[in-house]
Amino acid sequence: MTEKLYYKDAYIKEFEAEIVSLSPCEGGFDIVLDRTAFFPEEGGQSADTGFIGSSRVQHAYERDGVVHHITDSAPEGKTVSCVLDFSARFEKMQCHTAEHILCGIIHRLFGLDNVGFHLGDEEVTFDVNGVLDRAQLDKVEEIANNAVFSNWQIETLFPTAEELSSIEYRAKLDITDGVRLVKIGEVDTCACCAPHVASTGEIGMIKILDFMKHRGGTRIWMVAGKRALADYRARYDNIKRISGMLSTPQLETAATLENYISESEYIKAGLKQARLKIAELEAERVEVTDDSAVFYLADFTIPELIAFSNIANTKVGGITVALSGIEGDYKYVISSRSIDLRSMSKEINSSLSGRGGGRPEMLQGSFGCTLDEIKSFFEVKK
């Protein structure tokens, strides 16, 4: 079995080890060391990366107590110097410890259990088996950050089975042998195999970003530490840009934007009525005919094509075809006062690569053909 250095010291950045085995695998080489500080993908947390010699460690996983390292090349020699991407590891330590604090508080306040966890390179989520609302999560977040400000030392315990029986702790699996407990002050004691920071103050800040109902419980998105700082910077830059565009102070952008949206909706409603009126005026110009007629009306919407058709088909004895769009992708409204269009719908769509349907007096849909093909088809339906 691999000696797991990250169990003893989560802050090891460099170490030496002996290569136990090395074999080609998909994506590179599979290397087993006699000891490692690389945390393998486990318990919802993605694996550490770094170097074994000059070989890049792209992934790590554990099987039957043995940690396997997937590298892009085969390192030279039997004894190798190893280096972790410790900045990325420390971010995960901050986030994982923060997740323990949040889940411990949720368990104590609401009696809910953690039933899922994902700590990737970009996103951190965890699931609890009950529904929580924003006010409850705000309370959890406040208590969690108070735990950070208290700067409690975080203890790693390896109790015997007898000692474990008298300890209250959280665990997803019912295990009594070889349990590793992570104790965080007054807020949580949890069975966990992952590396954590040494004290809560190293987390920096905990922020619950979002939440949603998920499989009868709640899925929660969070950030902490370096990721919280990066998230705040991104949001600050975004709100600063919005503030500049709206010419309003940053903390007043929401109210200003609400006013803009209200005014925009009023303008859009007026524009809609104006465009419908234009469609009707355009229809007034149609000349009376006993034949069918095809009209191309560039950027008209379906409601505008209908408004046009309602007037135009009083002047067209046959079929009135109102089109908008571009060649090969036309929207249509077809109407008639004298012909049952629904009975013709299948033939029309089949002949003109169309889709749509409607009532005997009016059809709506689209054509995937040319304007000349449409005109040619309806000229023979006089």
Side-chain angles (χ1 to χ4, degrees):
M1 295 179 68
T2 309
E3 181 185 353
K4 299 169 182 176
L5 300 177
Y6 51 83
Y7 267 9
K8 302 174 182 177
D9 185 354
Y11 289 80
I12 293 175
K13 303 177 180 66
E14 301 179 15
F15 63 97
E16 288 195 347
E18 300 289 325
I19 294 179
V20 175
S21 68
L22 187 156
S23 58
C25 67
E26 184 177 352
F29 292 83
D30 188 318
I31 299 173
V32 174
L33 304 174
D34 65 336
R35 61 186 198 143
T36 187
F38 288 95
F39 181 75
E41 182 173 12
E42 189 174 0
Q45 179 171 324
S46 58
D48 287 332
T49 56
F51 288 90
I52 297 176
S54 60
S55 301
R56 180 72 178 165
V57 177
Q58 301 168 322
H59 183 60
Y61 69 94
E62 181 178 353
R63 180 181 297 162
D64 299 327
V66 177
V67 178
H68 296 254
H69 309 77
I70 307 302
T71 63
D72 61 354
S73 61
E76 297 180 0
K78 180 76 172 175
T79 302
V80 288
S81 296
C82 306
V83 180
L84 270 68
D85 291 332
F86 191 75
S87 179
R89 151 71 84 78
F90 188 69
E91 283 187 14
K92 293 176 185 177
M93 288 163 59
Q94 289 177 313
C95 290
H96 200 141
T97 309
E99 180 264 345
H100 276 236
I101 293 173
L102 291 171
C103 288
I105 295 167
I106 289 172
H107 181 73
R108 287 169 183 255
L109 290 181
F110 309 110
L112 303 181
D113 295 320
N114 178 317
V115 292
F117 175 57
H118 170 71
L119 171 49
D121 295 330
E122 302 293 334
E123 189 175 73
V124 186
T125 64
F126 65 91
D127 302 335
V128 295
N129 59 350
V131 177
L132 297 172
D133 59 30
R134 184 77 253 183
Q136 291 170 319
L137 290 173
D138 284 346
K139 181 177 181 180
V140 169
E141 182 181 88
E142 183 175 355
I143 297 171
N145 281 286
N146 284 335
V148 171
F149 306 149
S150 298
N151 197 28
W152 289 321
Q153 293 298 302
I154 296 172
E155 301 176 69
T156 301
L157 310 173
F158 294 89
T160 64
E162 183 179 351
E163 291 171 332
L164 193 65
S165 64
S166 62
I167 300 174
E168 183 179 349
Y169 66 97
R170 296 187 303 113
K172 292 180 184 176
L173 302 175
D174 186 16
I175 301 173
T176 56
D177 293 328
V179 173
R180 176 178 184 261
L181 296 180
V182 177
K183 185 177 186 303
I184 306 175
E186 303 169 4
V187 292
D188 190 46
T189 301
C190 182
C192 185
C193 59
H196 296 80
V197 295
S199 64
T200 59
E202 292 185 68
I203 297 171
M205 190 184 86
I206 301 172
K207 180 61 186 168
I208 294 175
L209 297 177
D210 205 354
F211 68 101
M212 64 176 286
K213 290 182 180 179
H214 179 70
R215 297 181 178 176
T218 306
R219 172 160 291 178
I220 299 165
W221 282 260
M222 57 150 289
V223 285
K226 290 183 178 181
R227 293 193 185 186
L229 177 60
D231 180 79
Y232 181 84
R233 282 176 175 165
R235 292 174 190 272
Y236 174 80
D237 289 342
N238 188 59
I239 198 68
K240 185 178 179 181
R241 288 177 57 199
I242 294 172
S243 174
M245 287 186 284
L246 296 177
S247 300
T248 193
Q250 292 181 20
L251 297 182
E252 298 176 17
T253 52
T256 302
L257 191 55
E258 285 176 352
N259 290 334
Y260 271 115
I261 292 172
S262 178
E263 292 174 4
S264 175
E265 293 299 324
Y266 178 78
I267 292 170
K268 284 196 294 184
L271 180 60
K272 179 180 178 181
Q273 293 303 313
R275 288 181 61 93
L276 290 173
K277 186 63 178 177
I278 291 171
E280 293 172 354
L281 291 173
E282 191 71 26
E284 296 288 355
R285 298 169 54 192
V286 172
E287 297 181 0
V288 175
T289 178
D290 292 331
D291 299 326
S292 294
V294 175
F295 302 95
Y296 175 63
L297 301 156
D299 61 347
F300 273 32
T301 63
I302 288 291
E304 291 159 11
L305 291 176
I306 292 173
F308 173 87
S309 299
N310 286 338
I311 294 175
N313 72 5
T314 65
K315 302 181 179 184
V316 176
I319 297 174
T320 302
V321 182
L323 304 169
S324 68
I326 59 174
E327 194 86 339
D329 185 19
Y330 291 110
K331 295 189 289 286
Y332 72 69
V333 170
I334 304 171
S335 58
S336 177
R337 294 174 292 121
S338 58
I339 299 172
D340 182 353
L341 296 173
R342 188 158 58 186
S343 65
M344 298 176 58
S345 176
K346 187 174 181 180
E347 178 190 357
I348 292 171
N349 286 322
S350 176
S351 300
L352 299 174
S353 301
R355 296 179 63 184
R359 309 185 306 276
E361 67 275 11
M362 182 174 287
L363 305 177
Q364 298 176 39
S366 62
F367 288 139
C369 61
T370 67
L371 185 58
D372 286 341
E373 289 172 323
I374 297 169
K375 288 181 177 180
S376 176
F377 179 87
F378 285 102
E379 280 175 357
V380 300
K381 299 297 177 183
K382 297 179 182 179

